[in-house]
Amino acid sequence: MKNLIKLLFAGIVLAGLGTSAVAQSSANTTASVTATLLTNVGITKDVDVTFAQVASGTIPTMDAASATKTNTGGTAALGKFTVTATVGSIIKLTFAAVTLTHSGGVPSGQLTFNTTVAQTPTTADAFGVSPILTGGTYTVSDGIAGGTVAGTDYIFVGGTLNAFGGGAGANLPALGAGQLTGVYTGTLTMTATYN
């Protein structure tokens, strides 16, 4: 009988260990799930980029961060865009150089517009205060008194007008004397996205 009691006791102990091992084979915890809903990004063109009348042998330039103009016509104007997005969010701007084609569509009648961009949160500004390279970012200001959810910023566009296929920096070629006279046009695409 003693042996039977010892065996029963040993069996109960082993059964307890088995149960304990199963009870420790799983565990759980929790994690919070959050999301920040942003307003849709909006971008509108306010002003087209225009160099007005320019002369061959020059490199017409408009500085987006100062509105300084060199070798441009009297009615030259920086381009301007309005961007709206959630206040405090980060916006990435992308843009590229633009090929301008002669109104007659002649393949050799092309110019290159090397784009520069500057941003400002102030609607009264005539130029941007913070230069931005393509793929660069900035933080959306409230732009409207009272700290509303949607902020407003202004993007100014300038750059240089060069003979087609020009390099960069000091290697930019002037407009050639043999360049076709007439009107040249191209399309600038400015993209604003949340970063």
Side-chain angles (χ1 to χ4, degrees):
M1 183 78 159
K2 260 181 169 187
N3 285 340
L4 183 61
I5 292 174
K6 284 181 182 179
L7 283 173
L8 282 174
F9 180 72
I12 292 171
V13 169
L14 287 175
L17 289 175
T19 304
S20 177
V22 171
Q24 294 175 2
S25 68
S26 67
N28 63 47
T29 188
T30 61
S32 62
V33 178
T34 61
T36 302
L37 182 61
L38 302 175
T39 59
N40 289 334
V41 176
I43 185 167
T44 56
K45 179 205 63 175
D46 302 318
V47 179
D48 288 313
V49 180
T50 181
F51 283 89
Q53 297 177 338
V54 297
S56 63
T58 66
I59 299 177
T61 303
M62 294 190 294
D63 188 351
S66 71
T68 302
K69 299 176 182 90
T70 306
N71 300 317
T72 62
T75 59
L78 293 173
K80 183 181 178 186
F81 293 84
T82 299
V83 175
T84 55
T86 300
V87 172
S89 62
I90 307 295
I91 291 294
K92 178 170 78 171
L93 295 177
T94 52
F95 50 91
V98 176
T99 298
L100 281 68
T101 303
H102 188 271
S103 58
V106 180
S108 61
Q110 294 180 322
L111 302 175
T112 299
F113 172 54
N114 292 290
T115 312
T116 62
V117 169
Q119 172 268 341
T120 182
T122 309
T123 186
D125 287 344
F127 51 86
V129 294
S130 302
I132 299 175
L133 299 175
T134 188
T137 62
Y138 72 92
T139 302
V140 177
S141 66
D142 89 5
I144 301 168
T148 58
V149 173
T152 304
D153 292 283
Y154 305 94
I155 308 302
F156 286 88
V157 179
T160 58
L161 197 57
N162 306 99
F164 182 70
N171 298 323
L172 295 171
L175 304 182
Q179 195 79 39
L180 291 172
T181 59
V183 177
Y184 288 77
T185 58
T187 302
L188 169 68
T189 300
M190 179 72 61
T191 304
T193 56
Y194 283 116
N195 191 38

